Amino acid sequence: MQSIYAMHQKNSDDIEKEEKFLLHSIDSIQDLYLIMLTTLTEIRKKEIVFLEASSKKHLATPEEKKPNYKFTNNAVLQLLEENSSLHIALEKRKINNWSMNDDYILILLDEVKQSELYQKYMSKKGSSFEEDKQFVIDMFTEWIAPNDKLYEYLEDNKLTWVDDIPVVNTQILKQLNQITEKSDFRVSKLYKDEEDKEFVSVLFRKTILNEVELAKEYIDKTPNWDADRIAEIDTIVLKMAICEFLKFPSIPVKVTINEYLEISKEYSTPKSSIFINGILDNLVKEFQANNKILKTGRGLM
């Protein structure tokens, strides 16, 4: 949707160039995922360095000489640090952001250590794997994911990541919740398979190349709306949804409607989702009556 909107704004007809940028921006979400995931391992590393340095001070306090290693010994943080899948992915994609920008990690560590969550965790002697896991989940949810400084860094690093941060954080939290003592953590792949990647290109191209025909499907369904007054994002959403109705037999109608309503709520006007839902609902009834929607598989209507 954003790539089609960008083409409209630039009055561009260079589909290959825009498609290349689209695929690159989606692929770069994998880098964002690895960067966010490694905030956890890097925070642990920084705390190890801090504790070692504090214990060697000339006038170290008793607490500094015998520090509390509960945080650095957290079972889940250690599991991530020792995970071969993560190390291979970082090396393959050359992710070393925190070695060059460790000030952000120090900010995160400081805020975590000042939190009530951290104080409560550290004050309790011993902990089970599940307790360690819950602490890491809470730390990520409450102090890392919503951190403004971290958000600013990611936005400055790559503007397209702004919309991807919630998706990445949700995936990381899902994986953290699934970790067990005996499970082997696996780095998530952006695309489940080549079919996912192909879908991106096909939807983009079929929408762009058929915009005039797709617009004809809804233009007479908006008698109370001047075409020029319909938000441009709304017209793109409608075209993409209609494209899925007519040209993607494996995608259920309800899935298409729900997805594009969510997109309109996120990116368009407050009333857009109501407007779009009404148009799509009427179109589906018309398409079904005229046998224009041909879906394959069980339960796809």
Side-chain angles (χ1 to χ4, degrees):
M1 183 272 289
Q2 291 179 322
S3 293
I4 295 171
Y5 180 77
M7 286 191 71
H8 286 189
Q9 294 299 301
K10 293 184 287 188
N11 292 317
S12 170
D13 59 0
D14 193 338
I15 295 179
E16 290 188 4
K17 180 181 178 181
E18 204 62 45
E19 181 183 36
K20 185 177 180 180
F21 177 78
L22 168 63
L23 293 174
H24 173 73
S25 65
I26 293 177
D27 182 64
S28 72
I29 301 175
Q30 190 76 21
D31 294 342
L32 174 61
Y33 162 78
L34 292 170
I35 290 169
M36 288 300 297
L37 187 59
T38 50
T39 57
L40 296 170
T41 55
E42 292 300 317
I43 283 177
R44 176 179 176 272
K45 288 179 184 177
K46 286 299 181 186
E47 179 64 359
I48 290 174
V49 171
F50 172 77
L51 293 178
E52 289 181 350
S54 297
S55 67
K56 295 176 181 178
K57 289 195 306 185
H58 179 62
L59 297 175
T61 65
E63 291 77 14
E64 289 173 328
K65 289 180 179 179
K66 291 185 178 182
N68 184 348
Y69 289 106
K70 183 172 180 177
F71 177 74
T72 56
N73 288 340
N74 180 284
V76 173
L77 295 181
Q78 286 184 308
L79 184 151
L80 291 174
E81 173 59 34
E82 297 165 3
N83 185 261
S84 58
S85 172
L86 180 55
H87 284 291
I88 291 170
L90 292 171
E91 184 175 342
K92 182 179 180 181
R93 299 187 72 92
K94 297 179 173 56
I95 302 298
N96 60 354
N97 295 60
W98 302 133
S99 64
M100 299 180 290
N101 299 279
D102 63 347
D103 50 323
Y104 289 95
I105 297 298
L106 291 172
I107 289 172
L108 290 174
L109 176 59
D110 183 58
E111 292 189 5
V112 167
K113 289 174 69 174
Q114 291 185 42
S115 70
E116 183 179 343
L117 171 72
Y118 177 86
Q119 301 301 329
K120 185 177 179 180
Y121 174 72
M122 296 296 287
S123 65
K124 184 178 178 182
K125 291 185 178 180
S127 60
S128 65
F129 184 88
E130 287 301 314
E131 288 173 327
D132 280 355
K133 181 172 79 171
Q134 190 58 54
F135 169 75
V136 173
I137 290 171
D138 292 340
M139 176 176 69
F140 188 83
T141 303
E142 296 180 24
W143 297 102
I144 297 178
N147 187 273
D148 289 337
K149 291 293 183 181
L150 179 59
Y151 183 91
E152 290 173 7
Y153 166 75
L154 295 172
E155 184 179 22
D156 290 343
N157 194 284
K158 193 177 290 292
L159 186 59
T160 58
W161 280 350
V162 172
D163 296 308
D164 304 325
I165 293 172
V167 176
V168 166
N169 289 341
T170 299
Q171 176 60 27
I172 291 174
L173 285 173
K174 178 182 177 181
Q175 288 187 277
L176 289 175
N177 274 291
Q178 292 173 342
I179 287 180
T180 66
E181 289 184 83
K182 297 181 180 180
S183 67
D184 183 23
F185 181 86
R186 303 295 298 175
V187 168
S188 288
K189 292 182 179 179
L190 176 63
Y191 295 112
K192 183 177 68 175
D193 49 37
E194 281 303 309
E195 186 178 344
D196 277 0
K197 191 171 185 177
E198 182 183 2
F199 170 75
V200 172
S201 293
V202 175
L203 177 59
F204 175 71
R205 283 180 171 270
K206 284 190 174 183
T207 303
I208 285 291
L209 295 173
N210 295 281
E211 283 201 83
V212 175
E213 290 75 15
L214 294 171
K216 290 178 181 178
E217 298 289 355
Y218 69 79
I219 204 68
D220 62 345
K221 304 295 187 300
T222 57
N224 298 323
W225 290 80
D226 187 322
D228 294 334
R229 290 179 57 229
I230 301 175
E232 187 166 9
I233 291 294
D234 292 353
T235 66
I236 295 172
V237 166
L238 286 170
K239 291 170 188 174
M240 292 178 71
I242 295 167
C243 187
E244 283 192 15
F245 287 158
L246 303 178
K247 301 178 184 297
F248 290 82
S250 65
I251 301 178
V253 167
K254 289 183 179 179
V255 170
T256 293
I257 292 175
N258 289 338
E259 290 290 341
Y260 287 105
L261 287 180
E262 288 303 312
I263 290 174
S264 67
K265 289 175 185 176
E266 182 72 22
Y267 295 101
S268 199
T269 67
K271 295 182 179 180
S272 288
S273 62
I274 299 172
F275 168 73
I276 289 171
N277 187 47
I279 298 298
L280 294 182
D281 187 55
N282 288 331
L283 281 173
V284 168
K285 292 175 182 176
E286 180 182 305
F287 290 162
Q288 289 174 340
N290 296 328
N291 294 318
K292 292 182 70 173
I293 292 183
L294 300 174
K295 298 294 184 179
T296 58
R298 296 179 60 187
L300 290 183
M301 294 304 290

